[in-house]
Every structure is written in C-alpha cells, then in structure tokens.
Amino acid sequence: MHLMKSTDLALRLLMRLAVVPADAPESPTTREVADALDAAYTHMAKVVARLQHLGLVEARRGRGGGLVLTVAGRAASVGAVVRTFEGSGDLADCVGENQACPLNSACRLRGALRTAQEAFYASLDGVSVMETVAAPTGPLLLAISSRPSGPADQAAPSQRSGPKTS
C-alpha cells in the first residue's frame, strides 16, 4: 500500500510537533515545518488546516505563534490519522471512470484487498503519535529539524522572523 503525499506529510508533521518541548519558547511555523520536511508550503498549509479541523494541531498567530500539537494530537492513533487522510476507498479501481471491470460481479480479489487494507489500519491503531517519536527517533528528529539546511537558513534571525528585543 502506498500512502498519499498528504497522509505522509500529516504523519511527519505530527511527529515533528511531538518533539517540541511543552515549555518551548517558540513553536515552528507552517513555513518552517514545510521547509524542514521538504514540502511545498501550500500543500503543508492544507495538511495543517485538516489537522486543525480534526483537533490534533493548534495554529497560533502573531508573535510567539506557531504550530502546537494538542493533547488529542499527542494521543492520536496513527491508524486513525491514516484512515482519515486515506479515506475508505477501495485499493483497486473496480468500477473505473468509463467502464466497470468485467469480473466485478464475481471477483474475490476486491474482498481480499479490503481485508488486507483493514489489517494494515488495525496494525497502526495501537500506535500513538507519541510512540512514533520515542528514542532514538525523537532525538534524531530534533537534531535534524534544528540544523540549518542551506544558505537561506543561515540568515540572521532578524531577517527571518522580525526584530527580537532583549
């Protein structure tokens, strides 16, 4: 089974936010997370909006704002997130846009694929977002996301996020 890009981004975003300490002075913004995860900002913004709607992520505006994983987000089942983003469609396109498969009325493959899909989701149901960032993943994720990745990331902080006052 291959996950859609939005599902992959949602899981990686949740994992990234799960390693931000609760007492952190600043939370990452949508743009910062998109850059860190090598994703298009517009695609990440759509994923963030959907996760907000689900109550898993909170987006705070203004100075000191950013993305925060909610209590529900920390406890969320990976299986539930994947189900939500992937939807309940069949793995095989038995109906098709222009023509139905001639085996459709007697096919046993469709049921077998549905059973396999549910087994896949069920195997992820027992895994929480917080479990995905247990050591060694969490510390590695923090190290990767805090490391500058290019010349633009090495600009002075005042050029990236506005003036800082002491």
Side-chain angles (χ1 to χ4, degrees):
M1 183 169 173
H2 189 272
L3 297 179
M4 293 187 301
K5 182 72 172 176
S6 58
T7 306
D8 177 51
L9 287 177
L11 293 171
R12 291 193 293 145
L13 172 65
L14 292 172
M15 289 174 68
R16 172 61 183 90
L17 295 179
V19 296
V20 175
D23 60 348
E26 293 183 14
S27 301
T29 65
T30 301
R31 185 163 307 281
E32 289 168 346
V33 173
D35 290 345
L37 298 178
D38 198 26
Y41 170 78
T42 54
H43 200 161
M44 185 60 74
K46 290 176 186 176
V47 169
V48 167
R50 190 148 183 214
L51 290 171
Q52 275 186 279
H53 180 73
L54 295 170
L56 304 179
V57 170
E58 181 182 319
R60 298 177 181 160
R61 293 178 173 247
R63 187 178 199 92
L67 302 175
V68 177
L69 190 62
T70 65
V71 172
R74 291 182 182 283
S77 152
V78 172
V81 173
V82 172
R83 260 189 202 90
T84 300
F85 275 81
E86 291 293 314
S88 60
D90 289 327
L91 291 177
D93 188 12
C94 298
V95 179
E97 287 184 26
N98 299 322
Q99 177 179 346
C101 174
L103 299 175
N104 199 22
S105 63
C107 184
R108 297 179 58 135
L109 178 61
R110 188 176 188 179
L113 290 174
R114 170 62 74 188
T115 300
Q117 183 179 29
E118 282 307 314
F120 170 73
Y121 290 147
S123 71
L124 296 174
D125 283 339
V127 181
S128 74
V129 168
M130 290 308 292
E131 288 176 278
T132 65
V133 295
T137 305
L140 179 61
L141 185 57
L142 268 176
I144 291 169
S145 59
S146 64
R147 193 174 353 151
S149 60
D153 291 328
Q154 296 170 2
S158 63
Q159 292 174 338
R160 284 187 286 167
S161 58
K164 300 269 183 181
T165 56
S166 302

